[in-house]
Amino acid sequence: MKYLVADPDEALDPGLRADLLDTWVAATNAGGAVGYTAPAPVDRIAENLDGALGRVAAGLDLLGVLHDGERYVGMGMLVTRGSDLQPHWRTVLRVMVHPGHQGNGAGRMLMEGLRGSAVDLGLEQLQLTIRGGLGLENFYGPLGYRIVGTHPRAIRLTADDYRDEIMLVLDL
């Protein structure tokens, strides 16, 4: 398994897109907190992915990927807000590993790669949000992220299933 930063020119590669779409759909269907609920709405995920890859191709955001020697099996992004007052930090978005590669340190490798990319960019801080109720803070805490706030009931999975959105920050 290897962490790579996708070159902006590679962001529109059909093979990369296909692998990342497959990963996103599989992660969603496995119950991952990656923006959707199962069954994965493939068309909506594809539209979201295309927008994200367009931002990478335009040089706005950074895409970190995991490659297992055959295909891309994980992704995470460092997304800019585009503000002149906030060039020193980025938001970590779309962190996911294909379910077939979870549980073997791939997620940690992805997050450490994104941290290294952030340091290379000269950033001072990373921010991310997670869905409450899944224990994800137990993954991010040992990586140095600390909880800085909670938005109660920010996520509605179903008519009667609300979750908190938890904001975490990592100082670099």
Side-chain angles (χ1 to χ4, degrees):
M1 188 84 55
K2 188 173 189 175
Y3 171 82
L4 305 164
V5 174
D7 184 270
D9 294 333
E10 297 171 318
L12 300 178
D13 174 68
L16 172 69
R17 180 191 183 275
D19 288 351
L20 296 182
L21 180 60
D22 177 66
T23 293
W24 200 336
V25 168
T28 298
N29 286 334
V34 290
Y36 300 94
T37 58
V42 178
D43 291 343
R44 288 184 25 222
I45 292 173
E47 183 178 330
N48 197 332
L49 177 60
D50 289 343
L53 293 175
R55 287 183 55 86
V56 173
L60 299 172
D61 299 335
L62 180 138
L63 173 64
V65 293
L66 291 179
H67 198 274
D68 70 358
E70 295 180 23
R71 60 186 308 253
Y72 297 98
V73 297
M75 68 179 274
M77 301 182 69
L78 300 181
V79 177
T80 181
R81 294 177 61 118
S83 169
D84 290 343
L85 301 177
Q86 299 171 326
H88 59 291
W89 67 275
R90 297 247 178 124
T91 300
V92 180
L93 282 180
R94 309 293 175 237
V95 174
M96 63 191 80
V97 173
H98 193 285
H101 291 274
Q102 292 177 359
N104 62 4
R108 182 176 192 81
M109 177 183 290
L110 178 61
M111 292 306 297
E112 288 173 352
L114 289 168
R115 178 187 183 132
S117 293
V119 169
D120 291 346
L121 290 171
L123 300 177
E124 298 172 18
Q125 196 175 71
L126 293 175
Q127 177 261 332
L128 62 83
T129 60
I130 58 173
R131 183 184 301 170
L134 299 174
L136 294 171
E137 52 275 40
N138 297 326
F139 172 73
Y140 291 104
L143 296 172
Y145 285 84
R146 64 185 173 16
I147 296 172
V148 296
T150 301
H151 182 160
R153 296 173 49 98
I155 300 167
R156 184 172 61 197
L157 299 175
T158 64
D160 61 349
D161 185 0
Y162 289 83
R163 304 292 175 93
D164 294 348
E165 184 173 65
I166 303 168
M167 180 186 289
L168 298 98
V169 169
L170 171 69
D171 293 311
L172 300 170

